[in-house]
Amino acid sequence: MSDTPIKDLPVSEITKAQAKAEIGLLSGGLRRANTAYHTHDAPEIADAEYDAMKARLLALEEAFPDLAAKDSPTRQVGAAPAEGFAKVRHRVAMLSLSNAFDDEEVRDFVDRVRRFLSLSADDPVAITAEPKIDGVSLALRYENGVLVEAATRGDGTEGENVTANARTITDIPHTLTGGFPDVFEVRGEVYMAKDAFAEMNRQQEAAGQKIYANPRNFAAGSLRQLDPAITATRPLSFFAYAWGDHEALPAETQSGVVAAFASWGFKTNPLTKRCDSVEDLLEHYRMIEGQRAQLPYDIDGVVYKVDRLDWQVRLGFRSTTPRWAIAHKFPAEYATTVLEKIEIQVGRTGALSPVARLTPVTVGGVVVSNATLHNEDYIAGIGSDGAPIREGRDLREGDTVTIYRAGDVIPKVLDVDLSKRPDWAVPYVMPDRCPICGAPAVREEGEAVRRCTNGLTCPAQAVEALKHFVSRAALDIDGLGAKQIEAFYADGLIKEPADIFTLQTRQQAGEIDLYRRDAKGRATNEKSIQNLFAAIDERRSPDLARFIFALGVRHVGETTGRLFARTYLRWDAFHQAMTTGDREAILAIDGVGAILADAAIAFFADPQNEAALDRLLAHVTPQDAEAPAQESPVAGKTVVFTGTLEKMSRAEAKARAEALGAKVSGSVSAKTDLVVAGPGAGSKLKKAAELGIDTLDEDSWLALVGG
């Protein structure tokens, strides 16, 4: 077998070299999708494709754990908070759910729960099933029964404060009724009913205002209005189904807590059901799917949750998802239309991305006019492994194509109908020069995309790099969004990040004029300019992790930025490590792979990048990161479990150790700090003795970590 990644083979049949290559391709694709969806609000791939890519990447990482990077897209969740609202730090993270797409994956979920909890096949496992509302997640904090704060999910750890807007939603009580804890955070989904959405869009069209694609978009836009009076005019609804920070729980089961919500004055979903078997779950799923079109609100699946809360606690969480819940998604939706034109967009890293412009068509109630085409191989009918896709059929302008979507994203072109191909249609030829700056566009060996070679001299790359620098997950400068960056760049006001921090001095010196007029002749007002200056000043001492991410080093995502910050703690230490180019030292950081290390070294070895950094650091001082907490007795230690554990499953023991800051390894080496051995321990225990590594039995381990 060759070392070419073969995505259609089972993970168990591919080599480590193949896995490494495919992990790189999948990670890059998912990062681009995350940036398009979360940072630019311009999604490029369908939910179904995204979910499939993420599931494949997760399977590869589980099979080859040493290839899994700490900044892997499988460990990321949500999007950064929106501009214009005060930020709220979630006391309990708002995580996403893993997905199931067929009956077998639902059975696997229940089997995993049983194995983790060491349950037999005969032990009953009650699981709740509820419709997965296609809306906007919201957390509501009540103190002494009074609503004091409402926050969106944001990136899972920090959201937007939308308290004033939430108070305008009739389904959200301002005060609770009945018996309730002094402090309780109720979580649920804000949505807009289908008939209300249709009526609001009719009103928008009559007033010559924006038409929304679907109820979820309208609900999100309504909830995030800066003026609560506007939100009050929008017919928003709310279902309560979960919770966050709390002093006490009103019940010992998921279904019991949701029932308490109803007694407190919340609306809960009437289709929620407690099921006692996988067959019951699947029967309820099919019942809900059959009613989907008739429901007054949009749903995109059914959510399953282990009912017993003590079991939820034991099952715990992965990095971004709970082990005790899963979303069973509905199949994608399809439509046929004409591919009118293939256009090229140039991204921050110079990637030339083809986009299909389609004859508008309605798919699942959403009008679609664009679709991602990924890269030139995809257009030619070639997959990432070199094997044919669509049976080798290429895509051409003028083709009649089948598209599909699942969720609120730009869809994918699934196939082409050759019988309807016009005589004039010719094979598409990917440009070998950047359509923006004209520089050569090169496809390097092993790369799926072609990239402009002009770097930040290319206006498209420069603008995208600036957008990234000020984006929500990076420096998050209020009032300096994508449109402002494009305008300021076009006017010559900002060419690189350092220019942002000299805007005020240049304005005061009369070197520039920020009181520009838009296409309608309207001048920027004084208050907006002063607010912008104030927002820029607030970011002159940025968090180190955000600053590292903001630089736009290829392959360095938010998680990697945090990893580098936790490792080096200070900017000068990080900068020195990168500029000295000690590849082995960088690779020694757990979670940093060769591709990422090489990209970081190359970035800081570029004289133009270093010169731009020097100019930026004349105005910006990154703040030192906090050293990792060392409260746990096993924090920072490498632990190996071997033999049979009798009081918890191996998976539960591993999860507990990782939650306490330990790293769990599958093999014993000189880097191992502690071995936990149960009955039947063999070669690992022997090797630990040879290396003089501390060994504990299960009871001693539980005593060490607090039971």
Side-chain angles (χ1 to χ4, degrees):
M1 185 181 291
S2 71
D3 286 340
T4 302
I6 304 180
K7 65 183 178 66
D8 294 326
L9 282 178
V11 171
S12 60
E13 296 182 14
I14 69 174
T15 67
K16 187 170 184 178
Q18 289 174 322
K20 183 176 181 180
E22 189 173 355
I23 284 173
L25 291 171
L26 289 168
S27 298
L30 287 168
R31 288 191 184 99
R32 288 191 294 274
N34 284 336
T35 299
Y37 183 73
H38 296 309
T39 304
H40 302 306
D41 293 324
E44 295 178 348
I45 65 174
D47 271 0
E49 181 183 4
Y50 181 91
D51 291 339
M53 291 170 65
K54 197 167 184 178
R56 175 71 173 182
L57 178 57
L58 185 60
L60 289 166
E61 291 175 341
E62 289 175 347
F64 301 91
D66 56 321
L67 298 180
K70 284 230 175 141
D71 66 338
S72 169
T74 61
R75 305 186 183 191
Q76 297 175 354
V77 58
E83 300 173 3
F85 291 96
K87 306 301 187 290
V88 173
R89 191 80 175 177
H90 295 303
R91 297 164 181 85
V92 177
M94 296 183 73
L95 301 181
S96 60
L97 296 175
S98 55
N99 296 320
F101 299 98
D102 55 40
D103 294 0
E104 193 58 38
E105 289 182 338
V106 176
R107 292 189 175 92
D108 288 344
F109 163 68
V110 178
D111 287 344
R112 287 196 303 272
V113 168
R114 290 185 180 279
R115 289 195 301 271
F116 194 100
L117 298 174
S118 297
L119 301 175
S120 73
D122 297 327
D123 289 325
V125 178
I127 296 176
T128 64
E130 65 190 64
K132 185 175 182 295
I133 308 300
D134 194 10
V136 183
S137 297
L138 190 67
L140 305 167
R141 182 176 178 83
Y142 289 83
E143 295 179 0
N144 298 314
V146 177
L147 177 62
V148 296
E149 183 181 85
T152 61
R153 182 172 75 171
D155 62 4
T157 59
E158 187 178 70
E160 308 96 52
N161 188 327
V162 291
T163 308
N165 295 13
R167 289 195 175 109
T168 71
I169 301 174
T170 56
D171 288 343
I172 296 177
H174 293 193
T175 57
L176 303 182
T177 58
F180 46 80
D182 289 342
V183 175
F184 201 96
E185 181 185 298
V186 176
R187 293 179 174 177
E189 204 83 358
V190 174
Y191 66 96
M192 184 176 290
K194 295 175 183 176
D195 56 353
F197 166 70
E199 177 58 30
M200 289 300 299
N201 252 352
R202 281 194 290 271
Q203 294 178 17
Q204 292 283 108
E205 185 175 17
Q209 297 177 342
K210 178 180 178 180
I211 301 299
Y212 286 84
N214 53 53
R216 185 195 178 280
N217 276 12
F218 214 150
S222 299
L223 185 62
R224 291 188 172 103
Q225 290 292 325
L226 294 178
D227 183 358
I230 297 177
T231 305
T233 67
R234 306 288 174 82
L236 298 178
S237 301
F238 180 80
F239 277 129
Y241 54 71
W243 57 92
D245 186 40
H246 58 272
E247 282 192 351
L249 288 170
E252 296 180 349
T253 61
Q254 175 78 29
S255 54
V257 175
V258 174
F261 290 166
S263 71
W264 294 350
F266 287 99
K267 185 167 71 173
T268 59
N269 196 290
L271 292 176
T272 301
K273 180 183 177 183
R274 183 180 181 274
C275 301
D276 294 317
S277 68
V278 174
E279 287 67 31
D280 286 346
L281 288 176
L282 296 176
E283 182 181 352
H284 195 56
Y285 169 87
R286 282 186 271 275
M287 184 276 289
I288 292 175
E289 184 180 24
Q291 294 186 12
R292 182 183 184 187
Q294 287 73 45
L295 291 176
Y297 44 81
D298 279 344
I299 61 174
D300 57 6
V302 177
V303 175
Y304 306 134
K305 300 173 184 175
V306 172
D307 196 36
R308 281 181 52 169
L309 299 188
D310 60 333
W311 284 359
Q312 287 190 12
V313 171
R314 285 180 59 189
L315 286 159
F317 298 85
R318 304 178 191 88
S319 59
T320 62
T321 59
R323 292 187 183 87
W324 43 266
I326 197 167
H328 190 177
K329 302 292 282 290
F330 292 138
E333 297 176 279
Y334 300 84
T336 300
T337 187
V338 175
L339 196 169
E340 296 181 350
K341 188 172 181 59
I342 297 175
E343 294 183 353
I344 300 297
Q345 297 178 343
V346 181
R348 173 172 59 87
T349 62
L352 273 61
S353 300
V355 176
R357 305 303 182 194
L358 308 168
T359 300
V361 62
T362 299
V363 188
V366 176
V367 177
V368 170
S369 57
N370 303 306
T372 179
L373 295 176
H374 303 298
N375 53 57
E376 56 192 286
D377 284 350
Y378 186 84
I379 295 174
I382 302 170
S384 61
D385 57 0
I389 56 174
R390 301 186 301 273
E391 298 181 351
R393 293 184 286 273
D394 68 335
L395 300 174
R396 305 181 185 184
E397 294 180 348
D399 273 341
T400 296
V401 295
T402 300
I403 61 171
Y404 76 85
R405 64 177 294 276
D408 182 25
V409 290
I410 295 177
K412 175 183 177 180
V413 175
L414 180 67
D415 208 345
V416 56
D417 186 346
L418 295 183
S419 68
K420 296 181 179 179
R421 174 170 283 173
D423 295 338
W424 52 264
V426 296
Y428 180 76
V429 178
M430 193 75 173
D432 58 6
R433 290 192 171 273
C434 174
I436 304 301
C437 69
V442 176
R443 180 177 177 179
E444 296 180 0
E445 185 176 355
E447 286 268 348
V449 300
R450 192 174 292 271
R451 297 182 189 276
C452 170
T453 57
N454 210 10
L456 294 182
T457 307
C458 171
Q461 292 184 64
V463 169
E464 292 303 317
L466 286 166
K467 290 179 183 178
H468 173 79
F469 184 81
V470 303
S471 65
R472 299 165 189 167
L475 257 65
D476 190 19
I477 300 178
D478 284 338
L480 199 56
K483 291 182 179 179
Q484 288 81 6
I485 287 292
E486 290 173 357
F488 284 3
Y489 186 90
D491 289 347
L493 303 177
I494 296 177
K495 293 296 184 183
E496 61 177 62
D499 294 338
I500 295 170
F501 296 92
T502 63
L503 281 173
Q504 186 170 9
T505 55
R506 287 186 286 147
Q507 175 74 17
Q508 292 171 342
E511 299 173 14
I512 60 174
D513 181 13
L514 292 177
Y515 297 98
R516 60 190 306 280
R517 294 184 177 275
D518 62 19
K520 295 183 179 180
R522 297 172 298 197
T524 307
N525 63 51
E526 177 69 26
K527 183 178 180 181
S528 296
I529 296 297
Q530 295 307 317
N531 287 344
L532 175 60
F533 291 157
I536 292 171
D537 285 341
E538 288 178 1
R539 296 297 185 260
R540 291 184 185 272
S541 300
D543 173 83
L544 178 59
R546 281 179 174 266
F547 185 74
I548 293 171
F549 172 64
L551 295 179
V553 180
R554 194 175 172 198
H555 303 303
V556 174
E558 295 174 60
T559 305
T560 309
R562 290 193 291 269
L563 175 62
F564 278 143
R566 287 196 303 267
T567 301
Y568 294 105
L569 301 181
R570 305 186 318 278
W571 165 257
D572 56 352
F574 168 74
H575 186 244
Q576 182 178 6
M578 298 300 116
T579 53
T580 55
D582 189 343
R583 189 173 186 270
E584 294 306 313
I586 298 172
L587 285 172
I589 301 171
D590 186 25
V592 175
I595 294 175
L596 197 159
D598 291 342
I601 291 171
F603 179 90
F604 288 96
D606 187 322
Q608 290 187 7
N609 289 341
E610 277 295 295
L613 259 178
D614 287 343
R615 291 189 290 271
L616 176 60
L617 291 167
H619 307 284
V620 172
T621 305
Q623 295 302 291
D624 294 348
E626 292 185 12
Q630 299 294 328
E631 299 175 0
S632 162
V634 295
K637 296 184 181 297
T638 299
V639 180
V640 173
F641 293 96
T642 184
T644 302
L645 300 182
E646 299 176 323
K647 296 185 177 179
M648 62 176 68
S649 67
R650 183 77 62 85
E652 187 173 358
K654 177 182 177 182
R656 180 73 182 279
E658 290 176 340
L660 292 170
K663 177 184 177 183
V664 179
S665 175
S667 60
V668 176
S669 70
K671 294 183 178 181
T672 303
D673 297 299
L674 187 65
V675 172
V676 180
S683 59
K684 293 178 183 178
L685 183 60
K686 181 180 178 181
K687 187 171 183 180
E690 293 172 354
L691 294 174
I693 296 169
D694 291 339
T695 304
L696 298 177
D697 60 20
E698 187 176 3
D699 288 337
S700 299
W701 162 257
L702 290 173
L704 176 65
V705 299

